[in-house]
Amino acid sequence: MLKRILTLTAFLNLVLIPFVSAEKPNLLIILADDMGYGDLSCYGSKQIPTPNLDALAENGVRCTDGYVSASVCAPSRAGLLTGRYQNRFGFEHNLSPHDHVKPERLGIDIRQPLISNKLKELGYQTGIIGKWHLGDNIPEMHPNQRGFDYFFGMLGGGHDYWPTPQKNKLLLNGEKITKIRTPYLTDWFTLEANDFIDRNSKADKPWFLYLSYNTPHAPMQAKEEDLAKFSHINDKTRRIYCAMQHNMDNNIGTIVAKLKELGQLENTLIVFLSDNGGSVEVSHAINAPCRGGKGSNLEGGLRVPMIWHWPSKLPKETTYSQPVISLDILPTFIAASGAEAPKTQAFGQSIKNKKEAAMATDGVNLLPYLQGENKAAPHESLFWRMTLRAKSVRSGDWKLLVRAHGDPELYNLKEDPSELNNLHGKNPEMAAKLREQLIKWEGSLESNPLWISNNTWFKYNEKLYTRKFMLTQPEKDDPRDFWGFNALEENIK
């Protein structure tokens, strides 16, 4: 009898478990780095054709009002991977050494689970390829200790695109890379991503991959064959940026091709976004029609392209215009896996028990909204704060911005997406209502910032609000200067 039971168990393991695994969707985050809101052709670019990302948008859901939780890299990524406002656990600024902060605190609190931890518990093979930038001072902060089975990339915030065996910061899990697989880093990350997908798909295991490109973050470096396609652009930095964008789009196309080859595309949930708005000064990104850029709480710093693609579950040729945020990815992915999405933390609620707080989320499961089943807005309000830089709240069409170097600003984003007409003096009731929401949200945060940006950033931060910005898309070969701090073209406000 026991033998018959064991035989039946073996049969179920061989037959039913692969069947169950196949039912779980694969989950893929593709994250660009410092990419402009207006620098995909499906978001209006006339200079950068991005046919592969356009195809994902055409066959999925394109969000017009997608946001991240911070306007700079590290805190934005901390919010994305935890599904919580990173302000709740003190990760409010980019990482930098401070004498008053213990090195082991410079990163995401090791008690805070990440999306990788949660999906690993649900039976997923988990991987990160590319940029980490979430702390590395103690072994417990390493990606392999944060729920990722596989890690290839760099722990810091940037990397040369032409690594050499002698000069690189790349790791394969815990081992330093000493052999270059392919010369250009974006290509290499994609090869590793395709290998991860191929390996786990053939093993019939559901997988979660966080493909964290550093494209098009500085240093501005591109392949000659990509640069040749943009020789008509006079500005050198902009030309390199366009070439880097083109290269990333081509690489994403090979990932989609791999999924098709393996028969996995229909049951793979893909979300593409940038970690923050484009860096106008450094990389000559264009965030049009949004004013502002990386580092500011203007729309150009916080609003990013966001594309959701899951052919078997999400509609095609759909534009979604309600505000959504990167914090929504974690609960959406968990719900997509078949598990119950974590409970959204109530507005104004502060969870003092650290274990309970770590399990909460500020995001929501977007599937009912993207599928058209729920017509309401996913969020009543969204919030942002970088202490001593700026804080802001968006509720419906209205946004209140309070920055360190200026008077409060109130905008109606539906009527004024470029934030040119400050209505603070004309609508004091709405300004007071949003300020009350912002104060209530700040009062609910469980932690103060654990570190602050270097003071040298404050003067630079003022320029991010007072300089001129390109608010319309330039033509393919427009020769004008849109990026200098003193640019004065008529169509730059």
Side-chain angles (χ1 to χ4, degrees), residues 29 69 74-91 107-118 132 134 146 148 208 210 326-332 334 342-343 345 357-364:
I29 299 172
S69 60
S76 171
R77 291 160 187 265
L80 186 155
L81 291 187
T82 61
R84 304 182 71 210
Y85 285 111
Q86 63 283 350
N87 317 77
R88 294 195 180 281
F89 45 89
F91 199 136
I108 298 179
D109 191 318
I110 60 175
R111 295 167 294 187
Q112 173 65 52
L114 310 185
I115 187 173
S116 47
N117 299 110
K118 295 175 183 289
W132 176 240
L134 292 171
R146 303 306 303 259
F148 287 102
F208 160 63
Y210 171 42
S326 55
L327 309 179
D328 299 327
I329 293 174
L330 183 149
T332 304
I334 290 177
K343 187 176 180 180
Q345 188 164 339
M359 300 307 294
T361 179
D362 289 296
V364 301

Side-chain angles (χ1 to χ4, degrees), residues 58-69:
E58 184 178 349
N59 291 289
V61 182
R62 183 180 69 92
C63 297
T64 61
D65 291 45
Y67 290 92
V68 286
S69 60

Side-chain angles (χ1 to χ4, degrees), residues 198-220:
D198 190 68
R199 185 166 59 246
N200 287 292
S201 296
K202 289 179 177 177
D204 202 21
K205 296 178 180 178
W207 50 264
F208 160 63
L209 176 60
Y210 171 42
L211 176 53
S212 177
Y213 285 123
N214 57 323
T215 308
H217 190 287
M220 305 309 294

Side-chain angles (χ1 to χ4, degrees), residues 193-255:
N194 279 330
D195 285 352
F196 177 89
I197 292 168
D198 190 68
R199 185 166 59 246
N200 287 292
S201 296
K202 289 179 177 177
D204 202 21
K205 296 178 180 178
W207 50 264
F208 160 63
L209 176 60
Y210 171 42
L211 176 53
S212 177
Y213 285 123
N214 57 323
T215 308
H217 190 287
M220 305 309 294
Q221 298 170 339
K223 296 161 64 175
E224 288 298 328
E225 58 263 40
D226 295 325
L227 284 167
K229 293 178 173 63
F230 300 93
S231 58
H232 55 279
I233 295 179
N234 289 337
D235 182 88
K236 180 181 177 181
T237 302
R238 177 65 179 174
R239 183 164 65 248
I240 296 171
Y241 176 92
C242 292
M244 295 169 76
Q245 280 282 95
H246 168 75
N247 175 271
M248 179 175 64
D249 183 76
N250 277 350
N251 275 289
I252 290 170
T254 71
I255 293 171

Side-chain angles (χ1 to χ4, degrees), residues 313-329:
K313 297 291 183 181
L314 292 179
K316 298 180 180 180
E317 299 179 353
T318 301
T319 298
Y320 189 77
S321 58
Q322 292 285 4
V324 294
I325 193 166
S326 55
L327 309 179
D328 299 327
I329 293 174

Side-chain angles (χ1 to χ4, degrees), residues 157-457:
H159 203 286
D160 192 284
Y161 287 86
W162 304 101
T164 67
Q166 298 77 25
K167 188 178 180 181
N168 74 79
K169 301 176 183 177
L170 300 172
L171 298 174
L172 174 57
N173 297 319
E175 300 297 321
K176 183 172 173 56
I177 293 296
T178 58
K179 185 177 179 181
I180 303 303
R181 181 177 179 183
T182 194
Y184 192 65
L185 193 58
T186 309
D187 297 342
W188 194 352
F189 286 156
T190 305
L191 288 175
E192 296 291 333
N194 279 330
D195 285 352
F196 177 89
I197 292 168
D198 190 68
R199 185 166 59 246
N200 287 292
S201 296
K202 289 179 177 177
D204 202 21
K205 296 178 180 178
W207 50 264
F208 160 63
L209 176 60
Y210 171 42
L211 176 53
S212 177
Y213 285 123
N214 57 323
T215 308
H217 190 287
M220 305 309 294
Q221 298 170 339
K223 296 161 64 175
E224 288 298 328
E225 58 263 40
D226 295 325
L227 284 167
K229 293 178 173 63
F230 300 93
S231 58
H232 55 279
I233 295 179
N234 289 337
D235 182 88
K236 180 181 177 181
T237 302
R238 177 65 179 174
R239 183 164 65 248
I240 296 171
Y241 176 92
C242 292
M244 295 169 76
Q245 280 282 95
H246 168 75
N247 175 271
M248 179 175 64
D249 183 76
N250 277 350
N251 275 289
I252 290 170
T254 71
I255 293 171
V256 173
K258 170 61 70 174
L259 291 169
K260 287 181 179 177
E261 172 195 326
L262 296 168
Q264 297 283 318
L265 185 61
E266 288 292 313
N267 200 34
T268 298
L269 172 54
I270 303 171
V271 59
F272 171 84
L273 70 163
S274 179
D275 65 344
N276 46 251
S279 178
V280 179
E281 292 75 32
V282 175
S283 65
H284 293 189
I286 289 179
N287 296 305
C290 301
R291 186 163 67 94
K294 177 182 180 179
S296 79
N297 273 31
L298 292 164
E299 291 292 285
L302 298 168
R303 192 187 296 201
V304 298
M306 187 183 290
I307 298 168
W308 294 82
H309 183 273
W310 190 10
S312 65
K313 297 291 183 181
L314 292 179
K316 298 180 180 180
E317 299 179 353
T318 301
T319 298
Y320 189 77
S321 58
Q322 292 285 4
V324 294
I325 193 166
S326 55
L327 309 179
D328 299 327
I329 293 174
L330 183 149
T332 304
F333 273 26
I334 290 177
S337 77
E340 184 179 354
K343 187 176 180 180
T344 303
Q345 188 164 339
F347 172 60
Q349 177 188 16
S350 182
I351 304 176
K352 299 303 181 183
N353 183 291
K354 290 187 176 182
K355 186 175 181 179
E356 291 180 11
M359 300 307 294
T361 179
D362 289 296
V364 301
N365 169 23
L366 289 181
L367 291 179
Y369 300 93
L370 301 180
Q371 291 167 340
E373 297 172 5
N374 192 330
K375 304 296 184 181
H379 298 273
E380 179 182 350
S381 301
L382 296 174
F383 301 90
W384 298 271
R385 188 184 76 180
M386 193 181 299
T387 299
L388 300 182
R389 301 279 287 275
K391 53 188 175 181
S392 54
V393 52
R394 174 173 177 172
S395 182
D397 295 328
W398 290 92
K399 176 180 174 183
L400 176 69
L401 168 62
V402 183
R403 56 190 179 91
H405 302 290
D407 296 328
E409 300 168 31
L410 179 69
Y411 300 105
N412 185 308
L413 295 176
K414 183 177 182 179
E415 299 174 358
D416 180 22
S418 301
E419 299 173 289
L420 298 175
N421 186 21
N422 183 3
L423 300 175
H424 192 273
K426 295 181 179 179
N427 197 336
E429 296 83 5
M430 179 58 68
K433 176 184 175 182
L434 294 186
R435 181 179 287 277
E436 184 178 339
Q437 286 191 20
L438 190 54
I439 291 171
K440 187 174 181 180
W441 174 74
E442 287 188 282
S444 76
L445 299 177
E446 291 84 0
S447 174
N448 289 323
L450 297 180
W451 61 89
I452 302 289
S453 297
N454 189 290
N455 287 341
T456 58
W457 286 104

